[in-house]
Amino acid sequence: MVWKPNVTVAAVLERDGRYLLVEEETEYGIFYNQPAGHLECGESLLDAVVRETLEESAYTLNPQYLVGIYHHRNEARDVTYLRFAFAGQIIAHDPGRPLDAGILAAHWLSLDEIRARQSQHRSPLVLRCIEDW
């Protein structure tokens, strides 16, 4: 049997001391995450992070930096993720654009607000990526 991790991308975006997180409804409850998602077949990592950011937050990202590459194992769900986190510049916002199914809202939160919601983070990588940035 060949083991393959789930490859994901995430956008770590900061503006005036606040970070962009999306509030999402999942089968396990409501959680906070960076705009993030799975790499699609034939897609580049940069194209994926631009797409996911737009779909989940209505912001258009110009990725400029690789924040880090992260390995996270969720033993309870028997799933492993390989996350590529990018930062960059927001070049547009379309507030009328509908967000992906399950995304309740996009929020700009301070580091203190993010830490206060740590029990609601989609994974430990949410805070780690911000701290690495």
Side-chain angles (χ1 to χ4, degrees):
M1 183 170 131
V2 176
W3 171 81
K4 291 182 183 179
N6 289 278
V7 177
T8 62
V9 294
V12 181
L13 301 173
E14 183 268 336
R15 181 176 72 185
D16 300 323
R18 296 173 109 43
Y19 297 87
L20 181 63
L21 293 186
V22 294
E23 182 180 5
E24 56 185 336
E25 188 170 10
T26 74
E27 61 186 291
Y28 304 102
I30 295 174
F31 291 97
Y32 290 85
N33 197 8
Q34 279 94 9
H38 292 267
L39 181 69
E40 294 181 358
C41 183
E43 188 175 42
S44 75
L45 292 169
L46 294 178
D47 287 343
V49 75
V50 169
R51 175 184 53 76
E52 288 291 350
T53 302
L54 182 62
E55 291 174 352
E56 294 192 357
S57 71
Y59 287 95
T60 301
L61 169 67
N62 174 21
Q64 298 170 317
Y65 312 99
L66 177 65
V67 175
I69 303 169
Y70 303 87
H71 176 267
H72 173 67
R73 174 85 181 142
N74 185 325
E75 292 293 343
R77 297 182 191 146
D78 191 29
V79 178
T80 301
Y81 297 95
L82 186 62
R83 175 188 258 208
F84 293 80
F86 294 91
Q89 178 184 19
I90 293 169
I91 55 176
H93 182 233
D94 180 1
R97 180 185 173 89
L99 304 179
D100 261 2
I103 303 296
L104 303 175
H107 303 283
W108 289 95
L109 302 171
S110 70
L111 190 52
D112 287 341
E113 291 170 322
I114 292 167
R115 286 187 173 127
R117 290 169 171 82
Q118 200 164 348
S119 66
Q120 292 177 278
H121 290 180
R122 184 85 186 248
S123 84
L125 297 180
V126 173
L127 184 57
R128 181 162 175 214
C129 289
I130 290 170
E131 289 174 339
D132 285 355
W133 170 243

